[in-house]
Amino acid sequence: MQLSTKQTFILKLSVVGLLMVAAILSRFWLVDWPNFKPVMAVALYAGFLLGKQWWTWMVPLLILALSDLFIGFYDGLLMASVYLSMMLAVGAGQALARWTGRREWRPLGTLVGMGIASLLVSVVFFLTTNAAVVLAGWYPLSLAGLLQSYLAALPFLRFT
C-alpha cells in the first residue's frame, strides 16, 4: 500500500510531534545526564525529515521555549547560544537530506551522514555555548579564558 503525499506528510509531522514531546519531557527527567541533548537530536531529525518547511525551524525553538517556561530562563547570551546551536542542527538535518537524496532511500549514506551530522552539531554546540560562557563573564575575556572554559567543559562533551 502506497501512502499519498498528504498521508506521508501527516505521518512525518506526527513523528516529529511525538519526538518533540519526548524531548520536552527529557529536559525534566534526564537532568542527571549533563548536556544530554535529545532536543538537538530532534532538531537534526526534523530538519532531515521535514525539509525546507519554514516551520521546521520552530521545532527546537518550541521545545526549548516551552520547557524553559517551567525550568526557568537563564542568562540571555547563553540562551541565545543554545537556541542558535539548535537551529544549526535543523540546518544540518536539511543539508543531510539534500546530500542523501530524499527521494531514494540510501540506508548507509543516511546512517553515516546522520552520525557525522550528530558529531558536527555536538561540537558546534560545545564551541558556541562555551564561547558564550566566556562572553557572559564566567571566565576571563581572553584566549586563556576561552581555553580554560573549553577544558573545564570537556567532560560534558561526551554526553552531548
Side-chain angles (χ1 to χ4, degrees), residues 105-122:
W105 174 243
R106 299 179 188 170
L108 184 59
T110 302
L111 184 62
V112 169
M114 194 61 79
I116 291 169
S118 297
L119 290 173
L120 178 67
V121 296
S122 293

Side-chain angles (χ1 to χ4, degrees), residues 25-152:
L25 293 175
S26 74
R27 292 194 75 200
F28 297 103
W29 290 334
L30 299 176
V31 293
D32 293 337
W33 294 6
N35 270 15
F36 180 66
K37 294 290 179 230
V39 178
M40 189 176 295
V42 172
L44 181 64
Y45 190 65
F48 177 77
L49 193 62
L50 299 176
K52 288 188 166 188
Q53 309 292 333
W54 68 268
W55 46 267
T56 302
W57 297 92
M58 299 301 293
V59 168
L61 294 178
L62 284 172
I63 293 169
L64 292 171
L66 289 174
S67 55
D68 282 342
L69 280 173
F70 294 99
I71 294 172
F73 294 99
Y74 45 100
D75 183 85
L77 185 59
L78 294 177
M79 280 185 68
S81 69
V82 169
Y83 281 49
L84 176 64
S85 296
M86 296 301 168
M87 300 296 286
L88 292 173
V90 172
Q94 290 176 340
L96 179 62
R98 284 191 302 277
W99 178 72
T100 57
R102 195 180 311 237
R103 289 183 179 77
E104 298 176 31
W105 174 243
R106 299 179 188 170
L108 184 59
T110 302
L111 184 62
V112 169
M114 194 61 79
I116 291 169
S118 297
L119 290 173
L120 178 67
V121 296
S122 293
V123 169
V124 167
F125 177 83
F126 175 82
L127 294 173
T128 57
T129 55
N130 285 294
V133 164
V134 172
L135 291 174
W138 294 17
Y139 289 90
L141 190 57
S142 64
L143 182 58
L146 183 62
L147 292 176
Q148 186 181 5
S149 170
Y150 287 146
L151 286 173

